[in-house]
């Protein structure tokens, strides 16, 4: 052993000073390891303004993870980074509770304080409805930040802002990457945020079953601070939370129930309460208005869904009591433009309207043709055929098929209207208000099976799925076979039965050992 090695062995380096220990404890707390933070806060300390500020920062992180510990006081002096952490944690707690009064935000010109201040500016822009500006700010922050949690959070908020601008593809890609980065870096709070935004993006992309799975699994592990947001995302995806956790999900369910009741006054009251719950954060408020409009047959048809341009419900929302019937109806009235309305809202129509009887309800092609014609003052035969069958019309092959379809559709319509044909042009002429079930909006069997798997949480067998969906066992078995082949689900042996779970390459199912970590509570 050399003399220098001997001196280092008998004279170890002095322990790090308090500030260094506090900063290290903060970095470890970001990963869900709260032991160092708890030990430092339990011990005497805080001899300087900077140390007291960093102790408050640790208290803020622990408070968001375990609200029972109580919020810290905001330090007036000391380290700018520490003060910014406290303020940022306070803002996050308000957002997660859907309270949008906007407490004081972090400020700073350098270091972590500057990154947190820039994130806060983006959130304020997002709340005010400047989604494009917020998206650009979050993207710039994501590219230049070097602190891992700031990079992940900026990516997640960038995805949220992209959804608010209507760019679902960009949002989904960014949310997937944020979720993977958070998992790779083992950043606990960042993973909560990225996963919640990924659930939102999945729903907007027309995959509510994946959104429900993410939200349902998160509810098993997130602290109570995060439960209102995650519960609301689960409800929007069609899940039925056991505990609404103070979230707007209860107001959402009341809105659908009021629409189903057909009581206009009750619906107006439920709508006002639902929209008021989300007022103050523009993307959520706009989403609430779009959902309420889709339920109201008398509202202006402002969304692509209502106008017939898209078959996906506004923001991908799913009726919490969606059953086996039609998801949406096309309302076609003489002399007025057609509009689509969610099934729960058709009871709000204040005039009697024709609906197909039980026998005609399974005439999906006839109903699809009626729904397509309702949105077009005049439609060419080729376009009508493609709308029903999904491929191009050829006179030699398909003329007889189209004639048969027109005949069956006229029989279905009966005296409620007629389909006029002039050469190759078709027109729907209603003689009374029509409520046409639109089969194009129905979720296919595969997606309904996936949704049931996702909401169920754990592994589920084919018989249990068939029973819950009230469809034939063979239908479920064939759907599961296709889903496994496509990689959307996987199967495994569970005793004597075969069980199935949803597969999502971007979302790793939370485990108690990874995401359920909490600070210790006193007593």
């Amino acid at each position: 052993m050399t003399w220098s090695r001997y001196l280092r062995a008998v004279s170890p380096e002095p322990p790090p000073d308090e500030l260094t220990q506090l900063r290290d404890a903060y970095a470890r707390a970001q990963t869900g390891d709260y032991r160092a933070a708890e030990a430092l806060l339990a011990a005497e300390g805080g001899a300087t303004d900077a140390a007291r500020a960093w102790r408050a920062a640790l208290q803020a992180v622990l408070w968001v993870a375990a609200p029972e510990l109580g919020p810290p006081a905001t330090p007036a002096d000391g380290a700018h980074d520490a003060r910014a952490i406290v303020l940022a944690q306070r803002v996050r707690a308000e957002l997660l509770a859907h309270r949008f009064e906007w407490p004081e935000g972090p400020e700073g010109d350098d270091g972590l304080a500057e990154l947190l201040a820039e994130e806060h500016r983006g959130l304020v822009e997002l709340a005010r409805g400047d989604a494009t500006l917020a998206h650009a700010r979050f993207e710039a922050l994501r590219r230049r930040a070097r602190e891992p949690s700031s990079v992940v959070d900026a990516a997640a908020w960038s995805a949220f802002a992209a959804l608010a601008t209507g760019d679902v593809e960009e949002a989904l890609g960014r949310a997937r990457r944020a979720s993977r980065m958070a998992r790779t870096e083992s950043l606990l709070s960042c993973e909560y945020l990225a996963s919640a935004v990924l659930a939102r993006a999945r729903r907007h992309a027309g995959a509510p079953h994946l959104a429900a799975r993410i939200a349902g699994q998160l509810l098993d592990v997130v602290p109570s601070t995060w439960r209102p947001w995650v519960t609301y995302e689960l409800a929007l995806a069609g899940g039925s939370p056991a505990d609404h956790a103070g979230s707007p999900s209860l107001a959402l369910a009341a809105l659908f129930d009021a629409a189903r009741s057909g009581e206009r006054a009750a619906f107006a009251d439920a709508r006002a309460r639902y929209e008021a719950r989300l007022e103050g954060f523009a993307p959520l408020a706009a989403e609430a208005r779009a959902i309420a409009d889709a339920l109201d047959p008398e509202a202006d048809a402002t969304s692509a869904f209502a106008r017939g341009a898209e078959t996906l419900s506004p923001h991908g929302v799913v009726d919490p009591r969606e059953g086996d019937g039609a998801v949406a109806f096309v309302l076609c009235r003489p002399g007025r433009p057609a509009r689509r309305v969610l099934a729960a809202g058709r009871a709000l129509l204040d005039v009697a309207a024709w609906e197909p009887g039980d026998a005609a309800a399974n005439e999906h092609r006839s109903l699809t043709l009626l729904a397509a014609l309702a949105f077009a003052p005049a439609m060419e035969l080729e376009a009508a055929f493609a709308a029903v069958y999904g491929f191009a019309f050829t006179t030699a092959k398909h003329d007889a098929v189209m004639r048969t379809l027109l005949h069956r559709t006229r029989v279905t319509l009966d005296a409620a209207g007629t389909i006029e044909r002039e050469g190759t042009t078709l027109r729907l002429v209603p003689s009374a208000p029509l409520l046409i079930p639109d089969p194009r909006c129905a979720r296919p069997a595969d997606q309904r099976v996936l949704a049931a798997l996702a909401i169920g949480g754990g592994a589920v067998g084919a018989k249990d799925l068939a029973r819950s969906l009230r469809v034939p066992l063979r239908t479920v078995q064939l759907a599961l076979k296709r889903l496994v082949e496509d990689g959307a689900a996987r199967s495994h042996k569970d005793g004597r039965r075969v069980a199935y779970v949803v597969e999502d390459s971007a979302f790793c199912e939370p485990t108690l050992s990874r995401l359920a970590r909490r600070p210790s509570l006193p007593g």
Side-chain angles (χ1 to χ4, degrees):
M1 177 183 292
T2 64
W3 183 247
S4 60
R5 287 183 179 177
Y6 170 75
L7 287 178
R8 285 198 296 271
V10 298
S11 305
E13 294 181 5
D17 59 28
E18 185 181 9
L19 273 181
T20 301
Q21 293 181 61
L22 289 166
R23 291 193 187 97
D24 289 345
Y26 170 75
R28 292 172 63 180
Q30 292 284 84
T31 69
D33 183 355
Y34 301 108
R35 291 170 297 181
E38 292 172 315
L40 287 170
L41 292 175
E44 294 292 332
T48 65
D49 287 342
R52 285 190 289 272
W54 272 102
R55 289 172 71 87
L58 290 184
Q59 289 172 346
V61 173
L62 267 60
W63 164 59
V64 172
E68 301 89 339
L69 297 175
T74 302
D77 301 304
H80 293 302
D81 284 355
R83 174 179 166 79
I85 290 168
V86 174
L87 294 174
Q89 294 294 322
R90 285 183 174 274
V91 169
R92 174 162 291 187
E94 293 296 299
L95 281 177
L96 294 175
H98 297 95
R99 294 190 296 263
F100 308 118
E101 295 300 326
W102 292 101
E104 179 186 4
E107 297 177 355
D109 298 324
D110 57 14
L112 180 59
E114 191 270 335
L115 298 177
L116 293 174
E118 190 70 359
E119 178 185 293
H120 182 73
R121 294 184 194 103
L123 289 174
V124 171
E125 290 164 352
L126 195 56
R128 292 174 178 171
D130 297 326
T132 301
L133 187 60
H135 180 258
R137 187 182 297 277
F138 288 130
E139 278 295 286
L141 178 60
R142 178 186 63 81
R143 286 192 291 267
R144 68 181 177 83
R146 293 294 178 268
E147 203 274 328
S149 65
S150 294
V151 175
V152 176
D153 284 354
W157 286 122
S158 173
F160 196 106
L163 286 176
T165 67
D167 193 343
V168 176
E169 184 177 355
E170 157 71 16
L172 184 57
R174 183 65 64 211
R176 286 168 59 92
R177 287 189 287 274
S179 180
R180 286 169 175 161
M181 283 190 292
R183 189 165 69 246
T184 300
E185 297 289 339
S186 298
L187 297 171
L188 191 66
S189 182
C190 294
E191 192 165 356
Y192 293 153
L193 174 63
S195 297
V197 174
L198 179 59
R200 186 174 183 81
R202 291 289 196 198
R203 170 170 53 83
H204 279 244
H209 53 288
L210 295 179
R213 174 180 180 260
I214 294 170
Q217 295 290 347
L218 279 177
L219 276 179
D220 290 338
V221 295
V222 293
S224 58
T225 322
W226 287 84
R227 292 185 67 83
W229 183 3
V230 178
T231 298
Y232 184 47
E233 285 299 332
L234 177 60
L236 287 167
S240 300
D243 175 15
H244 291 278
S247 83
S249 59
L250 193 60
L252 174 68
L255 179 76
F256 273 88
D257 288 343
R260 252 185 294 272
S261 75
E263 296 290 336
R264 173 62 62 175
F267 177 75
D269 181 62
R271 174 172 187 160
R273 284 186 281 108
Y274 176 46
E275 292 182 359
R277 189 70 175 79
L278 297 164
E279 186 179 354
F281 200 76
L284 298 182
E287 181 178 66
R289 287 192 298 272
I291 293 170
D293 282 347
L295 285 165
D296 188 351
E298 302 302 331
D300 293 336
T302 55
S303 69
F305 169 80
R307 296 193 307 271
E310 292 181 1
T311 57
L312 181 66
S313 61
H315 304 275
V317 67
V318 177
D319 185 341
R321 296 189 183 180
E322 180 182 298
D324 299 329
V327 172
F329 287 72
V330 177
L331 174 60
C332 182
R333 290 174 280 193
R336 298 179 62 175
R339 66 151 295 154
R340 193 184 276 127
V341 62
L342 290 173
R346 74 185 192 276
L348 292 170
L349 188 62
D350 56 5
V351 296
W354 170 90
E355 290 188 43
D358 293 339
N362 293 323
E363 293 284 347
H364 289 178
R365 288 173 179 163
S366 294
L367 296 175
T368 300
L369 178 60
L370 284 174
L373 290 174
F375 284 111
M379 180 176 281
E380 289 300 305
L381 195 68
E382 292 83 354
F385 182 89
V388 175
Y389 292 98
F391 52 87
F393 176 82
T394 304
T395 303
K397 293 182 178 179
H398 306 129
D399 184 66
V401 173
M402 194 62 191
R403 288 176 183 274
T404 301
L405 175 62
L406 283 170
H407 171 72
R408 295 177 70 92
T409 305
R410 290 185 176 113
V411 170
T412 297
L413 193 56
D414 198 18
T418 184
I419 299 174
E420 296 180 349
R421 177 174 180 177
E422 296 179 10
T424 60
T425 303
L426 302 176
R427 290 183 179 86
L428 173 62
V429 182
S431 57
L434 310 177
L435 269 174
I436 307 164
D438 195 340
R440 298 172 297 177
C441 298
R443 289 194 284 167
D446 291 14
Q447 193 176 105
R448 292 184 63 204
V449 169
L450 272 176
L453 279 175
I455 294 172
V460 184
K463 290 183 179 179
D464 294 331
L465 286 170
R467 191 179 305 111
S468 66
L469 294 172
R470 297 194 297 275
V471 297
L473 176 60
R474 185 58 178 162
T475 300
V476 171
Q477 289 172 332
L478 291 174
L480 288 170
K481 183 175 183 293
R482 290 190 296 269
L483 293 170
V484 171
E485 290 172 350
D486 292 342
R490 57 185 171 84
S491 62
H492 65 89
K493 292 288 289 183
D494 182 14
R496 298 182 62 182
R497 71 167 187 162
V498 178
Y500 299 84
V501 293
V502 176
E503 190 74 11
D504 185 349
S505 59
F507 176 72
C508 183
E509 182 174 318
T511 61
L512 291 176
S513 61
R514 190 167 60 85
L515 290 188
R517 298 170 182 168
R518 298 283 188 281
S520 300
L521 298 177

